[in-house]
Amino acid sequence: MTLESNNEENDLSGFKYAWYKKAEYHINIKSYLTLGTGKANQTEIEQDWTIMPGEYNHIAIQSSAQRYIQSDGQMQPFYEILEKINKATEVVELSLSTDKSINEVTNKNEILSRWDGIKKDLHFFELVKESYRTFIQIYDKEFNNIDRNIGRNLLYQIMFYPLPVFRGGSFTDEIPVRTTLSTLFPGEELNYSSVYRISGNEEGGYTVKLEGKSKENQSRFENVYKEKYQKTLINALEYKYAIEGEYIYNQDSVLSEVIFHVKEELNEKMIYVCRYHIRLNKK
């Protein structure tokens, strides 16, 4: 990582990290997967979040249905099921830690209750095709471990990144190691470290730049790679995971825009790149 802190050179006393009483954010997620020398898949999804802060570091997120701007037509039946599944988390209520990262999901029982109702509706699809049954069973496990899965979800991590400026009011470059889920090794967790630099900008707000990379020893994934990919890709595993992001806060110290890139690479023949663009809708 190449970022060097210049926090001590800036007057950041006005940076309070605030939320508007009811703020709407537009989210665009664009991903690209290569296989060999060509494109394997490309998707673009849009969604809207309404964020409503409560008392004592509690916050509620109300999300719209995902809109598929570009997607693989063969996946359409699964997208239709996923739309039904996502209704369980249309409203997620969180408690935040002092560094503004996610502590826990506080409306777990409500989410599980909605999921139980959705599962009854999805039973029809389970009877139609065995692969749908497996898909639904995977989500059943996820909803029964909702704290872990919201906490590991990269979109939630990006929105609630633990900038250490908020730990005790002092500046430090040390962001706690984060755990997320691999895209290319589904179900596998990976740990990554990150550093940041914060500065004032010309508009009277603040800009945060951060970079991160995996802390994993790639040998951990060797067996999974040999089982799932080796025959197709031939090449040896050369695992890499990297992130880079830019956060812009307005003069009220409210998050107004994020552009966040993720790159996960097995080797030169299989690379996944994803861009998250989060923007505060102007009132």
Side-chain angles (χ1 to χ4, degrees):
M1 288 176 280
T2 58
L3 275 183
E4 295 181 1
S5 172
N6 66 352
N7 296 340
E8 300 300 327
E9 302 173 9
N10 294 279
D11 178 12
L12 304 175
S13 59
F15 188 24
K16 304 300 182 185
Y17 194 127
W19 296 98
Y20 288 133
K21 188 174 182 180
K22 186 176 182 181
E24 294 182 356
Y25 286 87
H26 176 76
I27 299 167
N28 179 281
I29 304 172
K30 185 181 293 186
S31 63
Y32 194 97
L33 177 66
T34 67
L35 182 59
T37 58
K39 177 180 70 175
N41 190 27
Q42 184 174 357
T43 62
E44 184 175 359
I45 301 169
E46 288 187 343
Q47 187 177 31
D48 298 298
W49 276 13
T50 301
I51 294 184
M52 297 162 285
E55 296 181 349
Y56 308 113
N57 280 333
H58 283 73
I59 203 159
I61 301 170
Q62 183 173 344
S63 58
S64 71
Q66 293 181 339
R67 302 180 292 276
Y68 290 87
I69 309 303
Q70 182 174 0
S71 63
D72 183 346
Q74 294 180 339
M75 293 294 292
Q76 192 60 39
F78 286 101
Y79 292 148
E80 291 175 4
I81 296 175
L82 192 56
E83 183 177 352
K84 295 178 181 291
I85 290 172
N86 286 339
K87 289 184 180 297
T89 50
E90 280 183 332
V91 177
V92 175
E93 297 175 4
L94 304 169
S95 68
L96 302 180
S97 302
T98 54
D99 63 5
K100 308 302 181 182
S101 63
I102 295 170
N103 178 39
E104 69 168 331
V105 178
T106 58
N107 66 329
K108 288 187 281 285
N109 291 339
E110 177 187 329
I111 291 171
L112 285 172
S113 177
R114 287 201 298 263
W115 169 238
D116 285 340
I118 292 167
K119 271 197 301 184
K120 294 175 182 177
D121 182 37
L122 294 177
H123 185 58
F124 169 80
F125 294 95
E126 292 182 302
L127 296 175
V128 170
K129 199 170 185 179
E130 184 67 28
S131 58
Y132 293 160
R133 178 189 297 271
T134 303
F135 187 61
I136 293 164
Q137 287 174 342
I138 290 171
Y139 274 91
D140 194 41
K141 290 179 181 178
E142 290 201 5
F143 281 114
N144 280 282
N145 200 359
I146 193 70
D147 275 323
R148 170 191 175 273
N149 286 292
I150 290 292
R152 301 293 190 263
N153 182 293
L154 194 56
L155 176 56
Y156 281 88
Q157 284 196 10
I158 291 170
M159 184 65 82
F160 301 102
Y161 215 89
L163 299 177
V165 62
F166 305 113
R167 290 191 300 167
S170 62
F171 291 100
T172 169
D173 289 335
E174 295 183 8
I175 296 178
V177 172
R178 315 225 70 198
T179 302
T180 189
L181 298 173
S182 167
T183 297
L184 298 182
F185 295 122
E188 294 287 337
E189 293 184 344
L190 61 90
N191 300 311
Y192 66 93
S193 59
S194 54
V195 295
Y196 82 106
R197 185 177 66 216
I198 180 171
S199 59
N201 58 41
E202 294 179 356
E203 291 73 28
Y206 305 88
T207 299
V208 176
K209 294 182 182 290
L210 67 88
E211 294 178 354
K213 62 182 179 180
S214 170
K215 292 182 66 68
E216 302 297 335
N217 184 330
Q218 80 162 26
S219 62
R220 209 191 113 206
F221 296 133
E222 290 283 1
N223 290 337
V224 183
Y225 177 76
K226 289 176 182 177
E227 178 185 340
K228 295 186 176 181
Y229 295 110
Q230 186 85 60
K231 289 182 180 179
T232 302
L233 301 180
I234 309 300
N235 293 18
L237 177 65
E238 297 179 11
Y239 186 78
K240 297 174 186 175
Y241 182 87
I243 63 166
E244 58 181 41
E246 179 176 275
Y247 288 68
I248 297 175
Y249 296 83
N250 62 22
Q251 53 268 57
D252 296 324
S253 292
V254 171
L255 182 64
S256 60
E257 188 171 17
V258 182
I259 298 178
F260 199 100
H261 289 89
V262 179
K263 183 177 181 180
E264 186 172 10
E265 182 176 353
L266 300 188
N267 53 44
E268 63 180 8
K269 290 191 173 182
M270 194 166 194
I271 301 171
Y272 170 79
V273 177
C274 187
R275 186 211 66 186
Y276 295 79
H277 187 188
I278 303 169
R279 188 181 69 250
L280 176 66
N281 291 337
K282 293 182 179 180
K283 298 181 178 179

